[in-house]
C-alpha cells in the first residue's frame, strides 16, 4: 500500500520503519525535516505539507505532540483533509482528545474519507520492538483494512468502538496509571522515612496485591535517582488534562485523577516537565 | 517445637493447620472458642487464656483483628507477656501499628523474651495455600529460629529490620494499593461513562503500563458487581488509619493515601464496611 506518515519523532520514526520493512511505500512529512532524514535515506519520499503527503496515499498515519498539532495537521490550510483522496483512511495515533477525534471523523466523512483514532501505549521501546498496544476507535470497515498495518507496529490491537473510542480507552489507561503513581511514590517515601531499606521492601511487596507495572519498573529508577524520561512529565500532564476535561464533560467525579494532575503540575512548575514520570518521587523526597 | 497460636480466624486457622501438619504441637486460644473446634479436633490443645497458652510454648504466634486486640492479648492481665517463658519468641502477625510492635518488643525484652512483628499479605487464599508474603521485623536471632515455621505458612518471607519494620513494610504495601484502587475505579468509571465496553477496555490496558494486581483481579469483580469480601473494607480502613497516623508522626505528606482513606471512610459510612475493597467502585457508579 501507499502510506503517508506524518510525524517522525521518537515514536513515529520506529513505526514508519516497520511499515517500510513490511513492504509498503512511504511518503513522510514532519515539522522538523531533519527528523525524517534516515527514513528518506531508507527510501521514503518526502512531502512538503501534510496535504501533499496525503494526496497519493491509501492510508494516512499521524503521530504528533499535542491536540493543537493534530488540528493543524488535519484542518490546516495544507492539512490532511485538504489533500487526501476519496476512499482513503486517515489514522491519528497521537494521544489526543476524544472530541477532536470525533471532529476529524466527521470532517473526514464529509470529504469521503474513513477515519480511525488509534493512540498507542508501550513507549519508545514498544515502538522500536513493534510491541505497541494500539487502542482503536472509528469506522469498523477502516479498522479491517488497516489491521495488517497495525500488526506491523504493535502486538495488542483492540477495536474499541466508534470515533473517539480509541482516545477514551487511552484515557482509561492514563487514569489508572496516574493515581497508581501516587501510591508507588508514597509507599517508597514511607519506606525511606521509616528507616526501612526500600529495595528490601520491594522484595516483600512487588509481587503481591500491591504489584503493578509502575512498582516493578519505575520504583527501582526512583530509588536509583534515575529520572530520565521514559515518558515525559509534560506529555503525561497533557494526557491527564485531556482526561480530566473529558471526565468533567461527562459529569464524572475523579478525585484521584484530579489529585495526580495537581501533583504533576506542581512537579512541572518546579522544573520537572522534561523529566520522566517517575520524577514524581522527588516531590515526596523534598517534603 | 511447642507452639502457641492465638487467634484462629479465617487467616489464623489455616496457618495453625500448616504448623500442625509440619509436625509441631499446638496449643490454641481464640476469643470465640468454637472457632478453634476443628483445630482441637485435629489434635491441638486448648488454653483458656493467652498466658496459659504461652506458658509452655517455644514460640507464640498471634493474628487477631485490631491493634486494641493485640494490646489485650499481649498486655492484658492474662496476656502473653504475663505467661511466656524466658527465652521464648513472641510473633505478632496481625497487621497492626509499628509503634505497638516496638512496645511489645521492649516489654518482651524486659521479660527475657524475643519478639518479631510479622504481618502478612496474600489473604485467605494465601493462608490456605501457604503462599503468604511475610514481612518481618524484630530480633534477627529470633527470625533465624522462627524461619522454618514461617516457611510452613508462606512463600515470600523477608526480614526487614528492627522491631516495627515488618509493620512498616506492610504499611508500604497498603499505601501502594490504596491510591492504586482509586486509579482502577476511576478508569472503569470513565470507561462506562464514555460509552466504552469496560471488559474490552481491560483487554487494551490490563497488560501494559497500567497493569496492576488490582486491575487484573479486582476490576473484573467490580464490573460483574461482585463486591463480596476478599479483603474487608473495614480492615483496609484500619490499615490506612495506621499508615496515615504513622506517616503524620514522621512528618510525611501522603495526599494519595489521605484521599484514599477519605474515600473508603465514605464507603463505610454508606454501609459498605463489610464489603470487599473492590466495592470502592460503587462510589463512582453512584456519582
Amino acid at each position: 500500500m501507499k502510506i503517508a506518515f506524518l510525524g517522525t519523532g521518537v515514536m513515529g520514526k520506529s513505526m514508519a520503519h516497520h511499515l517500510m520493512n513490511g513492504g509498503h511505500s512511504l511518503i513522510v512529512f514532519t515539522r522538523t525535516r531533519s527528523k525524517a532524514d534516515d527514513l528518506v535515506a531508507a527510501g521514503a519520499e518526502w512531502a512538503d505539507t501534510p496535504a501533499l503527503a496525503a494526496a497519493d496515499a491509501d492510508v494516512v498515519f499521524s503521530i504528533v505532540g499535542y491536540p493543537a498539532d493534530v488540528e493543524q495537521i488535519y484542518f490546516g490550510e495544507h492539512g490532511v483533509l485538504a489533500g487526501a483522496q476519496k476512499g482513503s483512511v486517515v489514522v491519528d495515533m497521537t494521544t489526543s482528545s476524544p472530541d477532536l477525534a470525533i471532529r476529524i471523523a466527521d470532517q473526514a466523512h464529509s470529504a469521503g474519507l474513513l477515519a480511525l483514532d488509534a493512540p498507542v501505549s508501550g513507549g519508545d521501546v514498544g515502538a522500536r520492538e513493534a510491541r505497541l498496544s494500539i487502542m482503536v476507535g472509528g469506522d469498523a470497515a477502516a479498522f479491517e483494512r488497516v489491521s495488517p498495518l497495525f500488526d506491523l507496529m504493535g502486538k495488542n490491537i483492540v477495536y474499541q468502538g466508534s470515533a473517539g473510542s480509541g482516545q477514551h480507552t487511552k484515557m482509561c489507561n492514563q487514569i489508572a496509571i496516574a493515581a497508581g503513581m501516587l501510591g508507588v511514590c508514597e509507599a517508597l517515601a514511607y519506606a525511606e522515612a521509616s528507616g526501612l531499606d526500600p529495595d528490601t521492601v520491594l522484595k516483600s511487596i512487588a509481587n503481591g496485591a500491591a504489584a503493578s507495572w509502575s512498582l516493578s519498573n519505575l520504583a527501582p529508577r526512583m530509588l536509583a535517582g534515575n529520572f530520565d524520561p521514559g515518558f515525559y512529565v509534560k506529555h503525561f500532564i497533557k494526557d491527564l488534562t485531556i482526561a480530566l476535561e473529558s471526565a468533567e464533560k461527562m459529569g464524572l467525579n475523579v478525585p484521584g485523577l484530579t489529585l495526580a494532575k495537581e501533583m504533576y503540575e506542581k512537579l512541572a512548575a518546579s522544573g520537572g516537565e522534561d523529566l520522566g514520570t517517575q520524577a514524581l518521587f522527588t516531590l515526596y523526597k523534598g517534603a
Side-chain angles (χ1 to χ4, degrees), chain A:
Chain A
M1 267 194 261
K2 181 106 187 182
I3 297 170
F5 205 103
L6 315 177
T8 56
V10 176
M11 301 290 291
K13 188 182 288 190
S14 294
M15 294 157 75
H17 271 296
H18 293 310
L19 292 170
M20 281 175 72
N21 293 341
H24 300 284
S25 73
L26 239 70
I27 181 163
V28 298
F29 167 83
T30 200
R31 200 160 46 189
T32 308
R33 182 167 175 164
S34 61
K35 290 190 179 172
D37 281 353
D38 54 358
L39 281 163
V40 170
E45 202 180 328
W46 169 261
D48 281 328
T49 69
L52 288 170
D56 280 335
D58 302 303
V59 180
V60 179
F61 289 106
S62 56
I63 182 161
V64 293
Y66 292 83
D69 304 317
V70 175
E71 293 212 40
Q72 178 64 28
I73 267 196
Y74 278 86
F75 302 136
E77 192 184 350
H78 303 288
V80 169
L81 297 179
Q85 54 179 319
K86 276 199 185 359
S88 63
V89 183
V90 301
V91 187
D92 183 36
M93 303 185 79
T94 315
T95 294
S96 169
S97 104
D99 286 350
L100 178 53
I102 292 168
R103 276 172 53 213
I104 291 173
D106 286 346
Q107 298 212 21
H109 294 163
S110 301
L113 316 171
L114 297 175
L116 296 172
D117 51 295
V120 303
S121 81
D124 52 347
V125 177
R128 205 159 53 233
E129 298 177 352
R131 298 174 52 83
L132 294 170
S133 176
I134 308 179
M135 300 155 249
V136 191
D139 299 304
F143 177 67
E144 289 230 0
R145 212 195 300 172
V146 176
S147 277
L149 304 177
F150 286 145
D151 288 337
L152 294 170
M153 300 185 279
K155 285 284 176 230
N156 184 30
I157 299 141
V158 183
Y159 179 72
Q160 293 286 351
S162 61
S165 297
Q167 298 296 350
H168 276 310
T169 302
K170 180 67 186 279
M171 292 304 122
C172 294
N173 191 70
Q174 305 305 71
I175 291 168
I177 291 171
M181 286 293 286
L182 297 178
V184 169
C185 290
E186 293 179 11
L188 295 184
Y190 182 104
E192 289 195 343
S194 60
L196 297 171
D197 173 44
D199 290 304
T200 307
V201 170
L202 288 181
K203 286 181 192 156
S204 278
I205 74 172
N207 296 304
S212 69
W213 187 94
S214 297
L215 194 63
S216 294
N217 291 276
L218 299 181
R221 294 188 212 171
M222 292 175 189
L223 295 176
N226 173 1
F227 302 121
D228 293 345
F231 186 58
Y232 281 109
V233 166
K234 62 187 175 191
H235 291 159
F236 199 41
I237 290 174
K238 172 198 76 167
D239 296 356
L240 300 186
T241 302
I242 294 169
L244 191 56
E245 286 172 359
S246 185
E248 281 167 355
K249 268 185 212 161
M250 302 187 290
L252 184 68
N253 193 24
V254 280
L257 170 61
T258 303
L259 174 62
K261 178 170 169 280
E262 283 169 15
M263 298 286 286
Y264 271 102
E265 284 169 344
K266 192 172 161 190
L267 174 59
S270 69
E273 66 173 11
D274 287 321
L275 300 176
T277 52
Q278 73 275 21
L280 189 67
F281 186 49
T282 60
L283 286 192
Y284 292 92
K285 301 270 285 186

